[in-house]
Amino acid sequence: RTSRRHCFMRTARAVDLPTRAAASAVRRRATASSSRVRGRYASTTTTVARARQEDEEDTTAPMTASSSASRSGKIISDNAVHSRYLTVYNRVVEFAAEDGRGGTKTFAYDVVGHPKSDFKFVCVAPFHSRTTTTSGEPEFTIIREYAQGSNSTCVVLPSGGFEVAKHASLEEAATDELHQEAHLVDGTLTKLIADDNPGLLETKWCRNRLIPFLCVDGVQAKEEATRDAEEFHMTHERVTVREFRRMMYGGEMMLPSIVTGQLAIDFLLKGGYLTHDDLN
């Protein structure tokens, strides 16, 4: 900018008065133009800075109760349309429109669950410490059974529904499944989530919640419990912890059993029942 101004001044001195006046007008226009550019630049810089500050405030601000609540809807109807092993519901949900004008949007969803089990089920990881195994290594008892979804054999941990009419507690449900599916009794039973935890949602479209347990050093039952008719193909066996981990993430094991197994391993590592060498 300065060099241009000096150039104009030198040119004006070398010519007559009218030309010098023209040069002066050019300088005034150049100065005005430069001021406008600076003004626009300053305005743009202020706008960008303000937008950046607002973005940072939005990013770091905690979620408010109102913004969290906006993700929940109002259940208009919840009708069971099919019931056998699972109950399927046609759930109609109304949401507030996002335009702020007080309108609503309505959607219908397929939701499944086990109402007879109060939408709760247990999964138990039966662990055997190295002092109780013939291999000298820590082991888990696993179940092999038929998976109707994949039409193949899968690996699971003892699992089953909390039957309101049969079980006085979730712990009793866990003990029953251990006896029925793994033929194990006694041992030390530990719930792997806090008492105020409602349970881990099975999937986003399911009402069932998982309550995971660990049983340490259960023993073989003298009498085998009767399994359900569709469990005629079910078998149980012991595997080392490292083999158990391979099954967890090798595509053979069902997701609730994977979650329960990982929570059990974390608990056992923390309690000194396992070392990291047992996992590899």
Side-chain angles (χ1 to χ4, degrees):
R1 243 183 253 115
T2 303
S3 61
R4 287 178 63 190
R5 189 177 296 118
H6 288 171
C7 177
F8 288 138
M9 292 174 67
R10 285 195 299 271
T11 304
R13 291 192 189 100
V15 294
D16 58 12
L17 186 60
T19 305
R20 185 174 301 172
S24 178
V26 170
R27 284 200 303 275
R28 287 196 298 273
R29 286 197 297 272
T31 301
S33 177
S34 177
S35 298
R36 286 195 298 272
V37 170
R38 286 198 301 270
R40 285 197 299 270
Y41 177 77
S43 176
T44 302
T45 302
T46 302
T47 302
V48 171
R50 187 181 298 117
R52 184 175 298 156
Q53 181 180 1
E54 291 172 355
D55 287 344
E56 290 174 354
E57 290 173 354
D58 289 343
T59 301
T60 57
M63 181 181 290
T64 62
S66 60
S67 63
S68 177
S70 67
R71 290 176 171 79
S72 299
K74 178 182 178 182
I75 298 176
I76 303 302
S77 62
D78 206 17
N79 300 317
V81 294
H82 172 77
S83 184
R84 188 165 51 187
Y85 292 106
L86 287 168
T87 298
V88 182
Y89 299 86
N90 176 35
R91 173 174 289 184
V92 179
V93 184
E94 181 182 90
F95 297 89
E98 298 174 349
D99 56 11
R101 298 178 181 176
T104 60
K105 297 184 291 187
T106 303
F107 300 93
Y109 298 96
D110 295 338
V111 177
V112 302
H114 287 296
K116 294 180 181 179
S117 297
D118 194 27
F119 305 104
K120 298 183 182 75
F121 71 105
V122 298
C123 184
V124 191
F127 173 77
H128 310 278
S129 58
R130 68 182 78 249
T131 57
T132 66
T133 64
T134 56
S135 67
E137 292 192 52
E139 297 174 345
F140 281 102
T141 291
I142 57 104
I143 308 297
R144 295 187 188 273
E145 67 172 340
Y146 174 70
Q148 58 269 43
S150 60
N151 191 32
S152 63
T153 299
C154 69
V155 174
V156 296
L157 294 171
S159 309
F162 167 66
E163 299 179 34
V164 179
K166 178 181 178 182
H167 300 130
S169 66
L170 291 163
E171 286 76 9
E172 185 178 345
T175 300
D176 274 2
E177 293 304 324
L178 272 174
H179 188 197
Q180 180 177 317
E181 297 188 0
H183 298 162
L184 294 172
V185 295
D186 300 332
T188 302
L189 191 68
T190 302
K191 186 161 66 170
L192 295 171
I193 56 175
D195 288 337
D196 60 354
N197 189 323
L200 311 178
L201 273 174
E202 190 170 6
T203 65
K204 72 175 233 179
W205 40 263
C206 184
R207 296 178 65 178
N208 297 336
R209 289 184 177 269
L210 162 68
I211 315 298
F213 285 89
L214 166 69
C215 178
V216 175
D217 291 339
V219 297
Q220 193 71 25
K222 294 180 179 178
E223 295 183 3
E224 295 184 355
T226 302
R227 290 171 173 165
D228 296 335
E230 68 273 10
E231 296 174 337
F232 69 94
H233 41 60
M234 182 179 287
T235 61
H236 64 280
E237 64 190 82
R238 290 191 184 189
V239 296
T240 64
V241 173
R242 60 178 58 89
E243 178 65 11
F244 179 76
R245 286 190 76 243
R246 186 197 65 78
M247 292 176 172
M248 284 172 59
Y249 301 110
E252 300 176 75
M253 193 175 289
M254 299 290 101
L255 192 55
S257 295
I258 295 173
V259 173
T260 301
Q262 188 60 63
L263 287 171
I265 288 173
D266 292 344
F267 180 91
L268 294 165
L269 283 169
K270 186 176 180 180
Y273 294 90
L274 289 176
T275 68
H276 288 284
D277 289 339
D278 294 322
L279 308 181
N280 302 311

